Amino acid sequence: MPNARKKAAYSKKDLREVGDNPELTKADFAKARPFAEVFPDLSASIRKGRGPNKLPTKKLVSLRLSPEVIEHFKSTGSGWQSRIDETLRKAVKRKASA
């Protein structure tokens, strides 16, 4: 595409026509309060991630595996990481009992 220019999605005129919110001033920002203070019930109801494990039995590690191993376990469906863990635990038990 020679000499092709990307046209702006909206012009300044377009934005003025739909922009009915006044610009916030320093005084407006000074009056601002935290979300949790203004909406405590809503804030409490919002889930904030997974949270800590009650019984942290596993440790997070970074592990490089061969593509064949990953493909094999992923092909068995969801829970593939747990199945890798189970397979490794079995190998550790076999090695310990040998």
Side-chain angles (χ1 to χ4, degrees):
M1 294 192 299
N3 296 329
R5 291 185 185 176
K6 188 174 182 178
K7 187 176 178 181
Y10 298 103
S11 68
K12 288 183 179 182
K13 180 184 173 198
D14 294 331
L15 294 175
R16 274 193 309 273
E17 289 176 3
V18 298
D20 57 356
N21 288 340
E23 190 169 329
L24 296 175
T25 64
K26 288 184 179 184
D28 292 326
F29 281 107
K31 288 188 266 179
R33 297 184 331 207
F35 179 81
E37 185 180 309
V38 179
F39 302 105
D41 295 335
L42 182 58
S43 177
S45 70
I46 296 173
R47 188 171 177 198
K48 296 180 181 177
R50 188 173 181 179
N53 291 332
K54 291 181 181 176
L55 297 171
T57 58
K58 296 181 180 179
K59 293 184 179 186
L60 179 64
V61 298
S62 176
L63 179 66
R64 293 181 187 270
L65 300 171
S66 66
E68 296 84 12
V69 170
I70 295 171
E71 184 179 318
H72 169 76
F73 281 96
K74 277 190 171 183
S75 70
T76 60
S78 63
W80 62 273
Q81 292 168 321
S82 296
R83 283 191 293 283
I84 289 175
D85 180 60
E86 182 182 339
T87 302
L88 290 171
R89 279 188 280 118
K90 287 178 183 178
V92 168
K93 286 180 185 177
R94 272 197 308 267
K95 185 85 170 179
S97 64

